[in-house]
Amino acid sequence: MTVHDLNELLLVCSLVLLVAVAAVRISSRSGLPSLLLYLGIGIAMGQDGIFDVKFDNAELTQVIGYAALVVILAEGGLGTKWKEVKPALPAAAMLSTVGVGISVGVTASAAHYLVGLDWRQALIIGAVVSSTDAAAVFSVLRKVPLPSRITGVLEAESGFNDAPVVILVVAFSTVGPVEHWYVLVGEIALELTIGAAIGLAVGWLGAFGLRHVALPASGLYPIAVMAIAVSAYAAGAMAHGSGFLAVYLAAMVLGNSKLPHWPATRGFADGLGWLAQIGMFVLLGLLVTPHDLGDDFWPAVVVGLVLTMIARPLSVFISLAPFRLPRREKALMSWAGLRGAVPIILATIPMVSGIEGSTKVFNIVFVLVIVYTLIQGPTLPWLARALKIGEDPSEAADLGIESAPLERLRGHLLSVAIPGKSKMHGVEVGELRLPAGAAVTLVVRDRKSFVPAPSTVLRRGDELLVVATDPVRDAAEARLRAVGEGGKLAGWLGAGGPRDNGSPGMEVPHVVKLAKKLGRGDRHGNTRTRH
């Protein structure tokens, strides 16, 4: 590849990402899951599309899809709130095991008797489409407040049911006779147990290490968290367990462990998750050949109809029978079984294994996901309102609260650590004489935080959180450095720093020059300063 080719590739990738980001806005307004728009971008670029890119490497698609799925599950686990998921774990576990078994059996029977597929192909389709996608569900329900018991079950189910489904698809796609059902059940139970144990262990050890090891830069914490989550997948897979369950549980443990620099970590993971989804859906759109889908359209509609109207409701009502949930909530969860990228990725497994009729299986799954997402997605909010679910504010999910909206307010958050030899020791907060527009908002001392008063005396080892508006950010940092070097009399002793309320001292332009001389942190992020 030449430099010119690389430049063209980078240009195409950047344009695709820009279009995909714009698609997020479109999907939020239309109520359609963004996956359809990303798939559309891939189809438009591929065969029969505008650019006519010929791509038929199912093995590469599967590898990239697995990698993207690991990132998506890690991001989902990091965002899962334990207090919401904990009460839903038994119900989610039943849906992910018993529910999956019921769905596979009913859907496979329909594919065999109504569509005419042989039993291996029918079982593969039944297993592939039994995996739900929480991202698709919540992308159309973000404007409808739902009780946490419903969102918890749907979210946990989507994180758990990938593991048994992958095991089933791999077993059905293996050349040779399919193993007896009781052997498969034993293998699923063993792999889930191994994956769960490894995921919980890696998550706990990773959280313990991150809380007790100070990394040299705050930007390393998001990378470390994602690396720990991905290592859980690798360890689980190498131990012949479920790597997908391991990465989800490890990320969930990390996400509920109060790690340092958590807002930055959450934003980093969210961005990676979006990037993984965009790349995965565009690649899947490239893989499909639109003119080959016509013959498989009606078989996909028939299988999808049985899955949506019979298999999914049966799996929900039978699996959740012991939990005595209201019927209207079960009805909503039945209709909320949206399929996303996972079924399409899993449909590449029989293609890579060389199973007869695997291309037909892939086409049926592809059409099924698109058609029924178009039907279920826009109607989910309507169904929630018709069932009178989510209208009671007391049952609504948590409010969407921004933890640090400093960018919109043109503010900066400075983290200031006071080392042992700093002359800031013994200085009162009021004696810092920060410029108007800057204030010490929090003091962390002996691992306990409190809001300081003007008379609070600072000590060695304290960490201060200082909020400063954009115009006085440089002046505030320069004043903090000056007090750290010269103590409370820094302004009079020539060490620099502005005085409050027009009192004599250094002017702001001089302070800005001093700040440049002393060195500044990133103007667009958090600043960590030692005095």
Side-chain angles (χ1 to χ4, degrees):
M1 177 181 289
T2 64
V3 175
H4 180 70
D5 294 334
L6 178 61
N7 292 337
E8 289 185 347
L9 178 62
L10 291 176
L11 177 61
V12 172
C13 291
S14 61
L15 290 176
V16 170
L17 286 176
L18 288 174
V19 173
V21 171
V24 177
R25 182 65 175 172
I26 296 174
S27 67
S28 64
R29 288 181 174 270
S30 63
L32 292 175
S34 55
L35 71 91
L36 295 179
L37 298 174
Y38 302 151
L39 285 172
I41 293 173
I43 294 174
M45 295 176 59
Q47 301 182 52
D48 302 337
I50 300 174
F51 299 99
D52 196 26
V53 177
K54 292 179 172 59
F55 178 79
D56 58 357
N57 194 332
E59 186 174 2
L60 177 61
T61 303
Q62 179 184 333
V63 171
I64 296 177
Y66 268 42
L69 184 57
V70 169
V71 174
I72 293 171
L73 284 173
E75 189 273 332
L78 291 173
T80 300
K81 297 179 180 179
W82 175 246
K83 65 179 181 180
E84 293 183 0
V85 172
K86 182 180 178 181
L89 285 180
M94 289 293 291
L95 279 175
S96 303
T97 52
V98 177
V100 165
I102 295 172
S103 179
V104 171
V106 175
T107 307
S109 299
H112 177 71
Y113 291 109
L114 299 181
V115 178
L117 299 179
D118 63 46
W119 273 114
R120 182 185 293 273
Q121 296 171 358
L123 287 171
I124 291 174
I125 288 180
V128 163
V129 298
S130 295
S131 178
T132 59
D133 186 0
V137 174
F138 295 127
S139 66
V140 298
L141 283 178
R142 60 168 58 94
K143 296 182 179 180
V144 182
L146 293 176
S148 59
R149 60 179 175 273
I150 295 181
T151 58
V153 170
L154 292 174
E155 188 171 355
E157 179 200 7
S158 66
F160 294 160
N161 65 11
D162 292 340
V165 166
V166 170
I167 297 171
L168 287 175
V169 175
V170 171
F172 295 151
S173 302
T174 302
V175 177
V178 178
E179 296 178 319
H180 294 293
W181 67 269
Y182 51 84
V183 177
L184 285 178
V185 171
E187 289 181 356
I188 292 174
L190 179 61
E191 292 193 24
L192 292 180
T193 301
I194 295 173
I198 291 178
L200 294 174
V202 171
W204 185 86
L205 291 174
F208 180 83
L210 289 174
R211 286 198 302 265
H212 291 81
V213 177
L215 298 178
S218 61
L220 293 175
Y221 283 91
I223 299 174
V225 169
M226 292 301 296
I228 292 170
V230 173
S231 67
Y233 169 82
M238 292 176 65
H240 301 287
S242 173
F244 293 112
L245 182 59
V247 66
Y248 182 78
L249 290 178
M252 187 167 65
V253 173
L254 290 167
N256 291 271
S257 298
K258 298 181 180 180
L259 300 178
H261 304 286
W262 179 245
T265 300
R266 190 70 189 93
F268 178 78
D270 191 44
L272 277 184
W274 277 109
L275 185 62
Q277 288 190 59
I278 292 171
M280 179 174 56
F281 290 136
V282 171
L283 193 62
L284 291 172
L286 282 172
L287 184 63
V288 72
T289 305
H291 68 260
D292 291 339
L293 299 177
D295 295 337
D296 299 315
F297 178 82
W298 289 112
V301 171
V302 172
V303 173
L305 186 63
V306 173
L307 170 67
T308 305
M309 305 305 296
I310 300 176
R312 173 66 180 180
L314 276 178
S315 65
V316 170
F317 277 82
I318 294 177
S319 301
L320 301 183
F323 301 97
R324 298 180 180 178
L325 293 174
R327 289 187 178 182
R328 55 194 181 95
E329 294 186 3
K330 293 180 182 178
L332 181 64
M333 285 189 275
S334 298
W335 193 248
L338 291 181
R339 272 70 195 172
V342 178
I344 304 178
I345 293 174
L346 297 182
T348 63
I349 295 178
M351 297 177 68
V352 175
S353 302
I355 299 298
E356 183 180 356
S358 57
T359 301
K360 185 179 184 65
V361 170
F362 179 85
N363 290 341
I364 290 176
V365 172
F366 191 90
V367 173
L368 186 154
V369 169
I370 292 180
V371 170
Y372 284 92
T373 301
L374 281 170
I375 295 174
Q376 292 175 268
T379 57
L380 262 176
W382 172 85
L383 180 61
R385 289 190 293 268
L387 295 174
K388 297 182 179 179
I389 297 177
E391 294 184 350
D392 184 0
S394 65
E395 292 186 338
D398 286 348
L399 295 174
I401 300 175
E402 295 183 74
S403 59
L406 299 179
E407 185 67 24
R408 190 179 71 242
L409 300 178
R410 294 182 58 80
H412 299 268
L413 181 63
L414 290 80
S415 175
V416 184
I418 304 179
K421 296 182 180 180
S422 174
K423 292 185 179 180
M424 195 177 289
H425 174 75
V427 176
E428 295 183 2
V429 170
E431 294 173 332
L432 291 175
R433 302 193 310 281
L434 295 176
V440 180
T441 59
L442 199 69
V443 175
V444 181
R445 178 178 297 166
D446 298 329
R447 298 185 179 180
K448 295 181 179 179
S449 59
F450 60 92
V451 177
S455 59
T456 299
V457 179
L458 302 177
R459 301 178 184 175
R460 299 183 182 93
D462 285 353
E463 288 196 32
L464 318 181
L465 292 184
V466 180
V467 174
T469 57
D470 192 65
V472 301
R473 189 266 193 192
D474 293 326
E477 183 175 347
R479 176 60 188 169
L480 291 168
R481 291 183 183 275
V483 175
E485 295 173 1
K488 66 179 71 176
L489 300 179
W492 286 279
L493 298 179
R499 310 278 176 107
D500 282 339
N501 301 324
S503 57
M506 296 180 64
E507 299 296 332
V508 172
H510 187 191
V511 174
V512 173
K513 293 180 182 179
L514 178 60
K516 292 180 179 178
K517 181 179 179 181
L518 293 174
R520 294 176 297 186
D522 182 7
R523 291 184 58 87
H524 300 287
N526 296 343
T527 300
R528 186 173 182 84
T529 309
R530 288 190 175 272
H531 303 287

